[in-house]
Amino acid sequence: MNQQEQEQFNRLYENHLKTLKLQGKAQKTIEAYARAVRRVSSHFDCCPDNLSPENLQDYFADLVETHSWSTIKIDRNGLQHFWK
């Protein structure tokens, strides 16, 4: 990620955390959803808001091979909250 993308990611990530806290989510839920956003960002080396549906389909297809269904569902929920 270049510096501009990193700044954008940091701003969106902090807003995501703040929104989850304001919604009264449990600390473990906040940590899991935050981890999902960091994981997808790291996988593509870009801010998640730049990803296409095809990127996400490929990402989750790969995730199925290495993680449990519960992790996949948590990641999906975390990303859905990020994009709301």
Side-chain angles (χ1 to χ4, degrees):
M1 243 186 284
N2 64 36
Q3 183 177 356
Q4 183 180 6
E5 287 177 323
Q6 186 64 49
E7 290 171 1
Q8 178 183 5
F9 173 77
N10 291 342
R11 188 177 64 256
L12 292 172
Y13 183 76
E14 289 301 320
N15 187 54
H16 176 62
L17 295 177
K18 186 188 318 180
T19 301
L20 291 170
K21 288 177 187 176
L22 290 172
Q23 290 177 352
K25 301 290 185 204
Q27 186 60 39
K28 289 196 179 260
T29 300
I30 293 171
E31 291 168 6
Y33 285 9
R35 185 172 40 253
V37 172
R38 290 191 314 268
R39 188 184 350 247
V40 76
S41 178
S42 175
H43 180 82
F44 288 102
D45 193 31
C46 72
C47 189
D49 67 335
N50 295 328
L51 299 176
S52 70
E54 293 79 23
N55 291 141
L56 294 172
Q57 187 176 22
D58 292 342
Y59 171 73
F60 280 106
D62 290 343
L63 206 61
V64 165
E65 301 297 321
T66 58
H67 291 77
S68 69
W69 275 109
S70 61
T71 298
I72 293 164
K73 287 188 262 182
I74 289 169
D75 279 19
R76 183 200 64 212
N77 290 339
L79 293 170
Q80 283 177 331
H81 274 274
F82 178 81
W83 283 307
K84 280 187 181 179

